[in-house]
Amino acid sequence: MADLAIVYCSVHHGNTKKLLDAAAEECGVDLFSTEEAKKADLSHYHAVGFASGVYMSKLHRSLYDFLSGNPALPKKAFLLYTSGSGGQKYGNSFVALLKEHGLEVCGVYSCKGFDTYGPFKLVGGVAKGHPTPDEIGAGVRFVKEMAERAGHE
Ligand SMILES: Cc1cc2nc3c(=O)[nH]c(=O)nc-3n(C[C@H](O)[C@H](O)[C@H](O)COP(=O)(O)O)c2cc1C
């Protein structure tokens, strides 16, 4: 399987990081917080993933900041994110940005993540228990697929 790096930011409840930790354990993918990624050379990986929660309808700003530094990256990319609502379109603007940077986006995975932001805190949060074990398993399968695809092409 191919060597993958994932650059992530998971600040609310560590929901996204739960998916990534499971993927790291099962597929040996290397994880870099956005701060760590700034100092790392990711160009030798076969593909790079980006991952975060959704905050005000977008992925975390630090992912955009990381890309705006024009780091040397492999040509293939993929995206994972979690959100309180489970919306499927939150990744679109980041995918467009990856393409603008000349990256081929091989896939996107998203699922719900426990959310206690703002008024949701008053009702004990929404999407309790997410990501579920099934969602984590599907996320791991997605990362494996990305690794296989990056290795074959
Ligand atoms: C400041 C803030 C804004 C958020 N905005 C949204 C949003 O626009 N849509 C949504 O579905 N969830 C939203 N959420 C919920 C998070 O996307 C969700 O809890 C996610 O799983 C957090 O990931 P993390 O724990 O990896 O940081 C927001 C959470 C926070 C803290």
Side-chain angles (χ1 to χ4, degrees), residues 10-16 53-57 82-85 90 113-115 117:
S10 178
V11 289
H12 189 35
H13 285 292
N15 296 325
T16 314
V54 168
Y55 317 96
M56 311 308 243
S57 303
T82 63
S83 71
S85 63
Y90 290 128
F114 181 46
D115 179 9
Y117 177 59

Side-chain angles (χ1 to χ4, degrees), residues 21-117:
D21 285 342
E25 198 170 312
E26 287 204 33
C27 329
V29 52
D30 291 337
L31 306 181
F32 297 86
S33 68
T34 43
E35 281 309 304
E36 290 166 340
K38 279 188 212 162
K39 296 173 224 143
D41 175 11
L42 306 182
S43 61
H44 60 90
Y45 286 96
H46 292 113
V48 59
F50 294 88
S52 92
V54 168
Y55 317 96
M56 311 308 243
S57 303
K58 290 177 91 175
L59 301 187
H60 196 268
R61 207 182 55 180
S62 64
L63 290 182
Y64 289 84
D65 290 346
F66 173 71
L67 261 194
S68 72
N70 289 317
L73 294 172
K75 283 285 164 220
K76 290 177 197 296
F78 58 95
L79 183 62
L80 295 103
Y81 62 87
T82 63
S83 71
S85 63
Q88 300 287 305
K89 293 187 177 166
Y90 290 128
N92 290 359
S93 73
F94 197 75
V95 165
L97 193 64
L98 289 172
K99 288 180 180 168
E100 274 174 35
H101 280 257
L103 300 178
E104 178 194 342
V105 181
C106 301
V108 179
Y109 176 79
S110 68
C111 69
K112 285 186 180 180
F114 181 46
D115 179 9
T116 55
Y117 177 59

